[in-house]
Amino acid sequence: MPADLSPIDKAKFVAAKRAVDYVESGMKLGLGTGSTAAWMVRCLAERIREEGLKVKGVPTSSRTAELARSLGVPVVSLDDAKWLDLTIDGADEIDSQLNLIKGGGAALLQEKIVATASDQMIVIADAAKEVAQLGAFPLPVEVIPFGWQTTKALIEETLVSLDVLSRDCTLRMNGDAPLVTDEANYIVDLHLKRIGNPRQLSLVLNQIPGVVENGLFIDICDIVVVGHGDGRVTVRDINSGEVEDGHIDLAPSDNIFTDADD
């Protein structure tokens, strides 16, 4: 691991390294998207290279697929894999019940499909992602381009009757044009500030015509691995209720992480 990483990147690295310990040879894995998930792909590639680990990965975005292939992680489609043993992914927010907001990287649709097609989902994050209540991070909603302004208006109208603090909605842009997801859709970000009932909000949003999926992951995450800049790692298992504290060595080394730029 490079010695000059920021504390947040060190936290992401140690969370990713600990999560990859759950991977066993022969597994079919969902590979998440985002800067923390990119560390996980690198850690997985290191185990493949050094231990001869045999796995197949299903990426949740074209970016993850490109990174995995470049590092020698075998990649297959979800249709080929059919069902997965484990998905490891990041999150933008995590509450005490392991409910998540995801989609900051605009890959929420594929991420949710892959996560729900897995026996288990492990979320990796730095400590800043843990919150008492979801909503400070804008909630991404993937919508089809046709009639997106009407869909956005329907979302805003629906939010009036829901337990949220704000109802500001914006189309996510990529420069001067709307951001386009891997599935050729748009993202509307909901700046809610506080979500009182995530389960209700998720169900209601997905009933709106034009909405493809939202970034609330409810009852999907099984384990969260939280990393800290000093190498400490906390593992919380929602099913067993167990909390495990550990530590990952942050000593620099000349390995696959030398060129990491996330």
Side-chain angles (χ1 to χ4, degrees):
M1 188 197 72
D4 57 350
L5 289 180
S6 68
I8 289 180
D9 280 331
K10 288 177 181 177
K12 293 176 179 181
F13 164 72
V14 296
K17 191 170 182 64
R18 176 65 182 89
V20 168
D21 287 344
Y22 285 88
V23 178
E24 299 176 3
S25 204
M27 278 188 168
K28 292 180 286 186
L29 306 171
L31 307 178
T33 293
S35 59
T36 312
W39 281 113
M40 176 271 298
V41 175
R42 294 185 179 100
C43 290
L44 182 62
E46 185 180 45
R47 286 197 61 193
I48 290 171
R49 185 188 66 182
E50 295 185 356
E51 302 173 25
L53 190 72
K54 303 295 184 183
V55 296
K56 294 180 180 178
V58 174
T60 55
S61 68
S62 56
R63 300 189 303 282
T64 297
E66 182 179 356
L67 176 63
R69 291 190 182 102
S70 72
L71 295 175
V73 178
V75 169
V76 298
S77 71
L78 183 57
D79 287 334
D80 286 337
K82 295 184 173 60
W83 195 259
L84 308 177
D85 299 288
L86 175 64
T87 287
I88 304 176
D89 203 348
D92 298 302
E93 283 188 343
I94 309 164
D95 72 10
S96 61
Q97 301 302 308
L98 304 198
N99 296 316
L100 321 170
I101 286 181
K102 288 180 52 55
L108 67 98
L109 179 56
Q110 290 190 27
E111 287 173 335
K112 190 173 281 191
I113 291 171
V114 168
T116 54
S118 304
D119 288 336
Q120 190 176 50
M121 181 189 191
I122 297 176
V123 166
I124 50 178
D126 60 272
K129 301 299 193 300
E130 292 190 297
V131 297
Q133 191 169 39
L134 300 177
F137 189 92
L139 173 65
V141 177
E142 188 155 344
V143 303
I144 66 170
F146 175 81
W148 72 265
Q149 294 186 65
T150 299
T151 303
K152 176 175 173 287
L154 287 170
I155 292 171
E156 291 168 338
E157 180 180 336
T158 300
L159 291 174
V160 172
S161 62
L162 297 173
D163 185 8
V164 297
L165 192 59
S166 175
R167 298 188 295 274
D168 183 30
C169 302
T170 58
L171 180 69
R172 193 180 301 185
M173 304 296 288
N174 182 17
D176 295 330
L179 182 145
V180 178
T181 70
D182 279 354
E183 300 302 317
N185 295 316
Y186 291 169
I187 297 283
V188 175
D189 288 313
L190 280 52
H191 304 267
L192 306 176
K193 298 184 179 179
R194 178 183 57 79
I195 300 173
N197 190 333
R199 187 183 306 276
Q200 178 192 41
L201 177 59
S202 180
L203 290 171
V204 170
L205 286 173
N206 282 5
Q207 297 302 311
I208 298 173
V211 170
V212 181
E213 188 53 82
N214 70 82
L216 285 166
F217 283 51
I218 311 296
D219 297 334
I220 297 176
C221 175
D222 298 284
I223 295 172
V224 63
V225 181
V226 176
H228 302 264
D230 60 2
R232 289 179 297 118
V233 180
T234 301
V235 180
R236 285 197 290 136
D237 188 321
I238 192 68
N239 300 308
S240 69
E242 294 179 355
V243 178
E244 170 195 319
D245 292 315
H247 189 274
I248 301 292
D249 184 13
L250 289 169
S253 61
D254 295 324
N255 59 18
I256 199 167
F257 306 104
T258 302
D259 299 322
D261 56 3
D262 284 291

